Amino acid sequence: MAEITLISGSTLGGAEYVAEHLAEKLEDAGFTTQTLHGPLLDDLPQSGTWLVISSTHGAGDLPDNLQPFYDDLAERQPDLSAVRFGAIGIGSREYDTFCGAIDKLETQLTSCGAKTVGETLRINILDHDIPEDPAEVWLGSWINLLKNEQ
């Protein structure tokens, strides 16, 4: 099956744990994976399937390790029309900028031509001590969407 590139951005490590957990589940489902924590645009394939997982900190800000990736997308506006992606945001509903980082990333990716697969998952850490659990449930549906697109 196809390779999936997992891109994670995290301040305290939560999104990285989710990415590593989902990579294992994707491999169990027959996919090959590459997991990159805070990659640069040049580190990524310009086609295929990406799964972007980001926490939000501050006032809807991206984690420091994903800011250069986001800045690259905004400045270079690469043609990502051959990329399809899923998105998972992790944040707290206590803030009005809940999952603001994944919203910013999703907007930037689609403005570069990437196509969204499925609905973005927004995990409220106040409801889920272990964000891997809702992410794994979401992943099952997302895998089905990927298989139906092939």
Side-chain angles (χ1 to χ4, degrees), residues 71-136:
D71 292 343
D72 253 4
L73 287 171
E75 290 171 23
R76 293 168 49 186
Q77 288 292 304
D79 177 7
L80 297 180
S81 58
V83 171
R84 56 192 186 148
F85 72 96
I88 298 174
I90 303 169
S92 170
R93 280 227 189 264
E94 289 183 324
Y95 298 94
D96 58 356
T97 55
F98 173 63
C99 290
I102 202 65
D103 293 339
K104 290 175 182 176
L105 286 163
E106 189 170 19
T107 298
Q108 193 59 55
L109 287 167
T110 56
S111 78
C112 292
K115 306 287 185 275
T116 308
V117 176
E119 301 242 346
T120 298
L121 174 63
R122 290 172 179 79
I123 300 170
N124 181 5
I125 58 166
L126 299 176
D127 294 337
H128 302 281
D129 291 336
I130 303 172
E132 291 90 330
D133 293 343
E136 185 176 333

Side-chain angles (χ1 to χ4, degrees), residues 12-150:
L12 301 174
E16 291 178 8
Y17 298 137
V18 170
E20 290 166 6
H21 179 73
L22 296 183
E24 287 179 24
K25 296 300 173 186
L26 285 162
E27 288 173 9
D28 291 346
F31 294 91
T32 57
T33 66
Q34 175 185 25
T35 304
L36 301 170
H37 304 299
L40 296 174
L41 184 57
D42 292 336
D43 297 333
L44 297 166
Q46 301 297 297
S47 64
T49 305
W50 297 358
L51 179 52
V52 183
I53 304 153
S54 180
S55 61
T56 298
H57 73 97
D61 298 324
L62 280 90
D64 289 343
N65 70 337
L66 266 188
Q67 191 66 53
F69 169 65
Y70 178 83
D71 292 343
D72 253 4
L73 287 171
E75 290 171 23
R76 293 168 49 186
Q77 288 292 304
D79 177 7
L80 297 180
S81 58
V83 171
R84 56 192 186 148
F85 72 96
I88 298 174
I90 303 169
S92 170
R93 280 227 189 264
E94 289 183 324
Y95 298 94
D96 58 356
T97 55
F98 173 63
C99 290
I102 202 65
D103 293 339
K104 290 175 182 176
L105 286 163
E106 189 170 19
T107 298
Q108 193 59 55
L109 287 167
T110 56
S111 78
C112 292
K115 306 287 185 275
T116 308
V117 176
E119 301 242 346
T120 298
L121 174 63
R122 290 172 179 79
I123 300 170
N124 181 5
I125 58 166
L126 299 176
D127 294 337
H128 302 281
D129 291 336
I130 303 172
E132 291 90 330
D133 293 343
E136 185 176 333
V137 171
W138 175 90
L139 186 69
S141 300
W142 192 68
I143 288 172
N144 288 334
L145 291 172
L146 289 178
K147 289 179 179 177
N148 290 336
E149 283 190 355
Q150 293 179 359

